[in-house]
């Protein structure tokens, strides 16, 4: 049963989301270690100590950003695959989904690339496990389209495609368009 959130619980959820957005932006710009809790709170419109109402500390904020991103990718990919009529449609939808994620979450990708090693060992393990699951979802679809290809080759194709798409946040937001990225990714997957 889904309960309608109270105004107070909705406000708390909104503040938590604002803190995560501010943190992703600041961490992407300056790096996790160069951002103080006071700066994080200020960027989200609260005091530094108010951050503790939502997170145990800065480390917990970083974990929430990266674990949530990996979880969202896995759930989204599963949903795409479940609703696709054919393996080809699933692959095209997976590419579109990942491109939309990359372009919409450029700061999160930069944080992932720079600050993954700043997570605790258990949080790193969780993120890596989610990432492996995400790759395997892609490999499952690719294996239906390329039944004679080795699984290691299909994983390489998936990783290469992620690299292509995920490199866009590092290009200074040079105006990459979804259509261009989708065509390039599908060409790489079909190579």
């Amino acid at each position: 049963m889904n309960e309608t959130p109270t105004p107070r619980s909705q406000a708390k959820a909104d503040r938590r989301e604002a803190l995560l957005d501010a943190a992703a932006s600041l961490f992407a710009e300056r790096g996790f270690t160069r951002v103080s809790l006071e700066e994080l709170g200020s960027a989200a419109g609260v005091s530094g100590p108010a951050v503790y109402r939502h997170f145990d500390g800065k480390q917990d904020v970083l974990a929430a950003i990266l674990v949530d991103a990996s979880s969202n990718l896995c759930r989204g990919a599963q949903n795409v695959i479940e609703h696709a009529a054919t393996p080809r449609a699933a692959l095209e939808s997976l590419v579109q989904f990942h491109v939309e994620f990359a372009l919409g979450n450029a700061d999160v990708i930069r944080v992932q690339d720079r600050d993954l090693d700043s997570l605790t060992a258990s949080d790193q393990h969780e993120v890596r496990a989610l990432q492996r699951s995400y790759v395997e979802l892609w490999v499952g679809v690719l294996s239906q389209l390329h039944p004679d290809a080795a699984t290691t080759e299909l994983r390489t194709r998936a990783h290469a495609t992620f690299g292509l798409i995920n490199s866009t946040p590092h290009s200074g937001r040079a105006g990459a368009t979804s259509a261009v990225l989708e065509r390039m990714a599908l060409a790489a997957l079909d190579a």
Side-chain angles (χ1 to χ4, degrees):
M1 179 166 96
N2 285 339
E3 294 182 28
T4 304
T6 65
R8 180 181 170 129
S9 66
Q10 186 60 53
K12 185 175 181 176
D14 291 346
R15 275 190 302 278
R16 183 181 191 281
E17 194 61 35
L19 282 164
L20 289 173
D21 289 345
S25 178
L26 287 170
F27 296 167
E29 180 184 326
R30 299 196 329 241
F32 171 74
T33 60
R34 292 190 176 114
V35 176
S36 73
L37 210 54
E38 281 296 326
E39 291 168 317
L40 173 56
S42 178
V46 299
S47 68
V51 174
Y52 288 109
R53 291 186 194 134
H54 304 277
F55 301 98
D56 290 338
K58 194 171 73 162
Q59 184 73 42
D60 194 33
V61 174
L62 178 64
I65 291 168
L66 297 181
V67 170
D68 287 357
S70 294
S71 294
N72 290 339
L73 281 169
C74 281
R75 275 194 307 276
Q78 289 169 334
N79 187 51
V80 162
I81 293 166
E82 288 172 9
H83 290 93
T86 65
R88 183 66 191 183
L91 183 64
E92 291 171 1
S93 294
L94 282 171
V95 167
Q96 181 181 32
F97 168 74
H98 196 97
V99 166
E100 288 173 6
F101 175 85
L103 294 178
N105 295 279
D107 287 341
V108 172
I109 290 173
R110 285 194 290 278
V111 171
Q112 160 86 24
D113 289 349
R114 181 190 299 148
D115 294 314
L116 179 64
D117 291 340
S118 295
L119 288 173
T120 64
S122 64
D123 288 334
Q124 280 185 40
H125 177 75
E126 185 174 1
V127 168
R128 293 288 190 207
L130 288 163
Q131 289 173 338
R132 283 190 297 277
S133 295
Y134 184 66
V135 170
E136 292 309 309
L137 290 167
W138 282 67
V139 169
V141 171
L142 287 168
S143 67
Q144 294 176 55
L145 294 167
H146 306 283
D148 297 330
T151 302
T152 54
E153 177 187 332
L154 299 178
R155 276 193 198 102
T156 299
R157 288 184 193 196
H159 281 287
T161 300
F162 302 155
L164 167 76
I165 296 169
N166 290 350
S167 69
T168 57
H170 300 288
S171 64
R173 299 181 187 175
T177 66
S178 298
V180 170
L181 288 171
E182 288 172 22
R183 282 194 311 272
M184 291 173 68
L186 286 169
L189 289 165
D190 289 334

